[in-house]
């Protein structure tokens, strides 16, 4: 990427006018003047603007984020650090987080997505963990939109190009489509790592006089004001923002991982922070602020790849693959040997002080002198006005026409963009590197072995934006519940979540109401399911003009599977086995894929979420899986019961005869309704009676719905469709679309 002239170098203008261009409001600029006690210079103004940007400060969201449950006996470190930390036993911890890279990925899809992966990897290994898995959650616009194909190709290429080269498997994720993402796609990246419980590193600076060390790649002009750009609505000038997108180098990131982990085997590191959003500014301020100390930096010592960089450019650059460390005094030479061995830059650029001030020097002159604590403690925090989303009426299933061809509807649903196989995407990712991926993309949750053991982590990303759009509170609860359900369905115990909150302009009360509603629903679900939030990210201003994205609180879930021998997959295992539905079926069609894909409607309330039933049914299913008598398990979600059975049949290459009861529910409501808290189990006939008796004793609804076998799915009324035909339709859409033939 070629360097471009920054706004700081433009023709002279008033600092107040420049503050507006940097994203500071008039009130925020006055607050900055009050803190500083004078007019800031351009560098200081730039520092205020990025530190107080929505992306870095969470000024519109943090009062609501505080309402989320964040503690549990197994939580080692909740929100506030680079990533969350949970105890998984045997002296090990899992460290994980999810973040957004939405705006950069729309502007420059390949680099935007690639650097999103690189950034979330750094958040995890900066805490001492070796990354073992990447996941992602992707939302694209209408497939008919002229930019959608280009954006998919670039984003998928960037995720694969970075993750594959750095040697961390991409094991799971999701990808859906809706016109509300036409002008603002969502690219959410998640990384999970493992560390020893006694070797977790934090970003709290300590030790007056300790050296501040810069390691990794050199600093360039790419990504300047990236945090500010990520905190603004898109307009007509979107292409002009291309220089704010960072450029990544996964090979350097791999070296950085190894060098950092090697140094972490010593006791030389006091604190460590990656240079992500706002680069050197954010990393140095955060470390000093958390430690209650001052910091002095000599910018002449910062490794630079471009000539004549100003203090403003150095401090606001978001060049990738860089870290900031505080070392113990006298350990500099030891650390430098390690980083030079890995062919990375190493420079002592400053020291910690007792002044409580942030002081920059360049060419022998003071380039900035600012108080650390007030800038953080007086950071703006807004109680944005909000209004609740208006409730939608429940759709009476009897008011929706009954289809003439159940098999035809199933084929249409299974091949629609949201449900079509995403193999074209995940086959571009190396999901088997490191040789511990036991369940690859395409199931309920990915499963990655804890190396050298018979235990594993279950990992998932989940959200149903159309539910959140219909009723934010219900949608927020459902997103958490589905992640919990998918982890349960592979036999694992859900432990904790990370979140990525993607919403439109919070200055619009209806958008802020969506955010508040989703948070309320998430909080209720996390409490009911003992599934706390340990890390996360907020991405607001996902608008183009006045059109905002669907509210999308992406949930990344992590669970522990203590016995890999009982791990479940969705694939049917053989003929002559019973299929059992766990949970109530009420035929809820509001906000469903059936309604959207067959009737062209997106109305109606979403399916209600009964958290007590979710807990009861999930605990029952997990306990049954632990007996070793479950042959396959799949949760019911998009498309309802029949889609769940079809996905099991396609995965196993085995058909089934369904024994769907006739009664008060119309057949399409029973088959395609998206009622929650449901699973489908495959069990041997000899174990069926035990399962049903146990369910009755536990107050769990369990009903036989069919028998496995044959090459087709068949049902009451004489409808039938071959599994091969379904699979062909399911696999065909995305490759055909990307080749221009769909």
């Amino acid at each position: 990427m070629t360097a471009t002239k920054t706004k700081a170098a433009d023709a002279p203008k008033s600092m107040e006018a420049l503050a507006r261009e940097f994203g500071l409001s008039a009130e925020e600029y006055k607050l900055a003047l009050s803190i500083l006690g004078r007019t800031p210079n351009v560098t200081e103004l730039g520092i205020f603007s990025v530190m107080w940007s929505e992306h870095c400060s969470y000024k519109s969201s943090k009062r609501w984020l505080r309402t989320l449950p964040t503690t549990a006996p197994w939580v080692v470190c909740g929100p506030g650090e680079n990533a969350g930390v949970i105890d998984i036993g045997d002296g090990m911890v899992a460290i994980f987080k999810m973040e957004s890279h939405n705006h950069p990925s729309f502007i420059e899809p390949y680099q935007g997505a690639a650097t999103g992966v690189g950034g979330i990897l750094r958040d995890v290994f900066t805490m001492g963990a070796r990354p073992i898995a990447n996941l992602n959650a992707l939302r694209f616009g209408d497939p008919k939109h002229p930019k959608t194909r280009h954006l998919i190709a670039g984003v998928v290429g960037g995720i694969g190009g970075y993750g594959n080269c750095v040697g961390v498997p991409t094991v799971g994720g999701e990808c859906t489509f809706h016109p509300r993402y036409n002008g603002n796609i969502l690219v959410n990246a998640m990384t999970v790592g493992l560390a020893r419980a006694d070797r977790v590193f934090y970003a709290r600076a300590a030790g007056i006089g300790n050296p501040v060390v810069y390691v990794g790649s050199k600093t360039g002009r790419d990504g300047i004001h990236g945090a500010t750009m990520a905190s603004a609505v898109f307009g007509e000038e979107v292409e002009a923002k291309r220089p704010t997108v960072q450029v990544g180098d996964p090979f350097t990131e791999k070296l950085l991982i190894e060098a950092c982990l090697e140094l972490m085997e010593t006791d030389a590191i006091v604190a460590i922070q990656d240079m992500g959003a706002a680069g050197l500014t954010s990393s140095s301020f955060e470390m000093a602020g958390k430690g209650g100390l001052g910091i002095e930096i000599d910018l002449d010592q910062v490794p630079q790849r471009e000539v004549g960089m100003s203090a403003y450019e150095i401090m606001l650059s978001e060049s990738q693959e860089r870290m900031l460390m505080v070392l113990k005094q006298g350990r500099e030479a030891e650390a430098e040997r390690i980083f030079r061995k890995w062919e990375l830059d190493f420079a002592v650029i400053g020291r910690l002080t007792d002044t409580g001030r942030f002081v920059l020097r360049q060419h022998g002159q003071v380039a900035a002198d600012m108080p650390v604590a007030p800038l953080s403690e007086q950071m703006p925090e807004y109680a944005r006005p909000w209004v609740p989303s208006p409730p939608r009426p429940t759709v009476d299933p009897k008011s929706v026409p009954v289809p003439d061809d159940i098999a035809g509807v199933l084929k249409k649903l299974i091949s629609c963009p949201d449900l079509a196989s995403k193999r074209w995407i995940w086959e571009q990712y190396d999901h088997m590197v490191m040789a511990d991926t036991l369940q690859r993309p395409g199931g309920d949750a990915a499963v990655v072995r804890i190396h050298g053991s018979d235990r594993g982590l279950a990992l998932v990303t989940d959200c149903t934006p159309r539910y959140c759009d219909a009723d934010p509170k219900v949608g927020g609860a459902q997103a958490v519940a589905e992640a919990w359900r998918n982890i349960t369905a592979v036999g694992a115990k859900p432990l904790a979540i990370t979140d990525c909150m993607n919403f439109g302009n919070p200055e619009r009360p209806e958008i802020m109401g969506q955010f508040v509603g989703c948070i309320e629903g998430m909080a209720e679900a996390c409490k009911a399911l003992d599934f706390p939030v340990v890390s996360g990210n907020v991405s607001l201003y996902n608008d183009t003009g006045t059109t905002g994205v669907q509210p999308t609180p992406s949930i990344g879930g992590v669970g522990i599977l203590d016995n890999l021998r009982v791990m479940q997959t969705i694939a049917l295992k053989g003929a002559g086995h019973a299929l059992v539905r766990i949970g109530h079926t009420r035929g809820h069609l509001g906000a469903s894929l059936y309604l959207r894909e067959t009737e062209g409607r997106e109305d109606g309330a979403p399916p209600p979420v009964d958290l007590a039933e979710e807990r009861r049914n999930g605990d029952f299913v997990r306990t049954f899986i632990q007996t070793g008598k479950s042959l396959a398990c799949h949760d019911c979600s998009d498309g309802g019961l029949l889609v769940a059975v079809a996905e099991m049949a396609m995965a196993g290459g085995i058909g089934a005869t369904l024994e769907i009861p006739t009664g008060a529910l119309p057949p399409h409501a029973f088959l395609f309704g998206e009622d929650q808290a449901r699973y489908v189990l495959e069990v041997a006939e000899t174990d069926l009676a035990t399962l049903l008796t146990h369910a009755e004793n536990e107050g769990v609804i369990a009903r036989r719905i069919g028998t496995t076998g044959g090459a087709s799915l068949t049902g009451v009324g004489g409808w039938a469709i071959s599994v091969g035909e379904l699979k062909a339709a399911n696999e065909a859409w995305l490759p055909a679309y990307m080749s221009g033939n769909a």
Side-chain angles (χ1 to χ4, degrees):
M1 182 176 293
T2 58
T4 60
K5 196 176 186 181
T6 65
K7 289 180 180 177
D10 288 345
K13 59 186 73 176
S14 75
M15 279 295 159
E16 189 168 0
L18 193 59
R20 300 294 183 281
E21 294 187 27
F22 285 0
L24 291 173
S25 69
E27 293 75 18
E28 289 168 348
Y29 180 66
K30 289 178 184 177
L31 180 58
L33 292 180
S34 173
I35 289 173
L36 211 54
R38 57 176 170 80
T39 301
N41 62 33
V42 169
T43 300
E44 292 166 337
L45 184 64
I47 289 171
F48 272 110
S49 74
V50 294
M51 291 300 293
W52 288 1
S53 68
E54 195 75 63
H55 191 75
C56 292
S57 73
Y58 296 160
K59 58 192 175 187
S60 297
S61 59
K62 55 189 173 186
R63 70 187 301 264
W64 296 105
L65 297 176
R66 295 189 189 107
T67 66
L68 292 169
T70 60
T71 61
W74 51 88
V75 174
V76 176
C77 177
E81 271 290 341
N82 285 290
V85 185
I86 58 172
D87 188 339
I88 58 170
D90 292 346
M92 300 289 291
V93 294
I95 300 179
F96 61 100
K97 189 180 181 182
M98 180 188 285
E99 279 200 342
S100 62
H101 230 224
N102 303 333
H103 284 39
S105 298
F106 184 80
I107 297 166
E108 177 51 66
Y110 186 96
Q111 290 296 346
T115 52
V117 173
I120 196 64
L121 282 165
R122 288 193 299 280
D123 278 338
V124 167
F125 74 75
T126 193
M127 296 193 71
R130 177 171 291 282
I132 63 163
N134 290 329
L135 298 92
N136 53 71
L138 310 178
R139 312 289 173 186
F140 294 105
D142 187 338
K144 297 183 178 66
H145 191 275
K147 287 197 71 170
T148 299
R149 188 180 289 108
H150 161 73
L151 291 168
I152 296 171
V155 166
V156 172
I159 292 171
Y162 205 100
N164 296 352
C165 292
V166 85
V168 177
T170 300
V171 299
E174 54 182 344
C175 173
T176 61
F177 301 81
H178 194 276
R180 292 267 291 282
Y181 303 106
N182 280 350
N184 201 127
I185 64 173
L186 303 184
V187 176
N188 297 169
M190 177 178 172
T191 292
V192 182
L194 292 175
R196 285 166 35 199
D198 61 349
R199 301 299 289 174
V200 179
F201 291 80
Y202 299 97
R204 183 182 296 274
I208 296 167
N210 276 342
V212 177
V213 174
Y214 172 119
V215 299
S217 292
K218 290 180 169 62
T219 294
R221 289 188 171 97
D222 53 317
I224 292 174
H225 264 295
T228 306
M229 177 271 292
S231 306
V233 173
F234 277 165
E236 296 299 323
E237 77 294 347
V238 64
E239 288 301 318
K241 297 180 182 287
R242 194 173 299 276
T244 62
V245 179
Q246 310 92 329
V247 178
D249 179 356
F251 299 104
T252 298
E253 181 103 338
K254 173 62 175 173
L255 299 177
L256 190 59
I257 292 173
E258 300 304 331
C260 287
L261 293 179
E262 183 174 341
L263 184 59
M264 287 168 172
E265 288 298 313
T266 74
D267 63 348
I269 298 175
V270 175
I272 182 169
Q273 174 77 39
D274 84 299
M275 293 191 217
L280 186 53
T281 291
S282 180
S283 56
S284 52
F285 253 102
E286 287 181 10
M287 286 207 298
K290 288 177 179 178
L293 298 173
I295 188 169
E296 293 183 355
I297 294 177
D298 182 354
L299 296 178
D300 295 331
Q301 302 306 311
V302 173
Q304 299 164 49
R305 67 169 181 259
E306 299 190 40
V307 176
M309 291 187 71
S310 67
Y312 168 93
E313 291 172 325
I314 294 170
M315 293 307 296
L316 271 67
S317 168
E318 293 185 9
S319 295
Q320 298 291 286
E321 295 85 43
R322 303 179 300 159
M323 308 284 278
L324 198 65
M325 299 180 179
V326 174
L327 299 180
K328 294 179 180 177
Q329 293 186 57
R331 307 300 292 273
E332 297 93 327
E334 176 185 359
E336 183 171 9
R337 281 195 300 272
I338 291 173
F339 282 90
R340 296 296 183 195
K341 181 186 78 172
W342 290 101
E343 300 181 348
L344 296 167
D345 277 285
F346 177 99
V348 178
I349 65 169
R351 65 185 184 92
L352 300 180
T353 70
D354 61 358
T355 65
R357 298 192 70 81
F358 183 82
V359 180
L360 304 177
R361 290 186 172 84
Q362 187 180 37
H363 310 321
Q365 304 294 317
V366 174
D369 187 346
M370 311 168 71
V372 173
L375 192 142
S376 299
E377 293 170 1
Q378 297 181 44
M379 187 176 289
E381 180 175 342
Y382 297 124
R384 302 276 192 200
W386 63 277
V387 294
S389 298
R392 295 186 185 180
T394 299
V395 172
D396 181 353
K398 295 180 181 178
S399 71
V400 180
V402 177
D404 295 327
D405 182 6
I406 293 291
V409 170
L410 175 60
K411 184 176 178 180
K412 182 173 184 177
L413 282 177
I414 213 74
S415 60
C416 78
D418 278 10
L419 290 180
S421 169
K422 303 305 184 297
R423 183 185 300 275
W424 182 92
I425 293 176
W426 59 259
E427 282 192 339
Q428 296 184 55
Y429 306 152
D430 189 339
H431 47 273
M432 299 302 292
V433 65
M434 300 178 79
D436 281 319
T437 304
L438 300 183
Q439 194 159 164
R440 61 188 69 187
D444 281 321
V447 178
V448 179
R449 178 190 288 111
I450 298 171
H451 192 71
S453 77
D454 59 359
R455 305 168 70 233
L457 293 180
L459 315 171
V460 73
T461 62
D462 273 311
C463 184
T464 310
R466 65 181 185 279
Y467 294 169
C468 299
D469 205 27
D471 186 323
K473 185 174 180 179
V474 171
Q478 190 275 340
V480 173
E482 187 173 355
W484 191 85
R485 205 159 60 233
N486 279 322
I487 291 171
T488 293
V490 299
K493 177 184 178 182
L495 293 177
I497 68 170
T498 181
D499 60 51
C500 196
M501 308 293 291
N502 307 271
F503 291 79
N505 185 344
E507 297 168 47
R508 295 164 55 194
E510 67 275 18
I511 300 299
M512 199 64 215
Q514 293 174 345
F515 183 88
V516 171
C518 284
I519 287 285
E520 289 177 343
M522 289 168 56
E524 288 186 7
C526 288
K527 290 173 185 174
L529 301 174
D530 286 334
F531 205 27
V533 182
V534 298
S535 61
N537 169 247
V538 176
S539 175
L540 302 177
Y541 295 96
N542 289 291
D543 302 71
T544 303
T546 59
T547 300
V549 298
Q550 288 184 310
T552 310
S554 298
I555 303 298
V558 175
I560 186 71
L561 186 56
D562 281 319
N563 180 4
L564 289 172
R565 290 186 294 276
V566 299
M567 179 188 77
Q568 295 292 283
T569 68
I570 71 171
L572 296 180
K573 301 302 187 298
H577 299 149
L579 290 177
V580 178
R581 182 196 86 234
I582 303 296
H584 283 282
T585 292
R586 300 178 176 91
H588 197 99
L589 290 176
S592 67
L593 278 184
Y594 177 87
L595 206 62
R596 189 178 85 188
E597 297 297 325
T598 67
E599 299 296 318
R601 296 168 50 184
E602 296 190 52
D603 59 312
V609 177
D610 183 332
L611 293 169
E613 185 181 10
E614 286 281 3
R615 185 65 186 262
R616 182 170 59 252
N617 292 357
D619 287 348
F620 170 80
V621 167
R622 191 182 316 105
T623 299
F624 182 72
I625 289 172
Q626 296 302 319
T627 68
K629 294 182 178 180
S630 174
L631 301 175
C633 181
H634 192 15
D635 88 306
C636 293
S637 53
D638 290 343
L641 181 64
L642 187 53
V643 165
V645 174
E647 289 172 339
M648 298 174 80
M650 291 188 296
I654 298 170
T657 299
L658 300 182
E659 304 161 6
I660 304 302
T662 57
L665 282 180
H668 59 313
F670 190 94
L671 294 170
F672 302 113
E674 296 182 4
D675 305 285
Q676 300 295 292
R678 296 188 301 166
Y679 303 78
V680 176
L681 293 172
E682 177 191 10
V683 297
E685 287 286 352
T686 52
D687 295 319
L688 177 60
T690 301
L691 168 65
L692 297 178
T693 299
H694 182 42
E696 184 177 7
N697 292 339
E698 296 295 322
V700 170
I701 299 296
R703 300 287 186 269
R704 180 179 187 145
I705 60 169
T707 304
T708 63
S712 299
L713 289 182
T714 61
V716 174
W719 63 265
I721 187 169
S722 78
V723 174
E725 183 180 350
L726 278 176
K727 189 174 181 64
N730 179 248
E731 296 278 355
W733 180 79
L734 188 53
Y737 174 72
M738 293 308 296
S739 66
N741 294 322

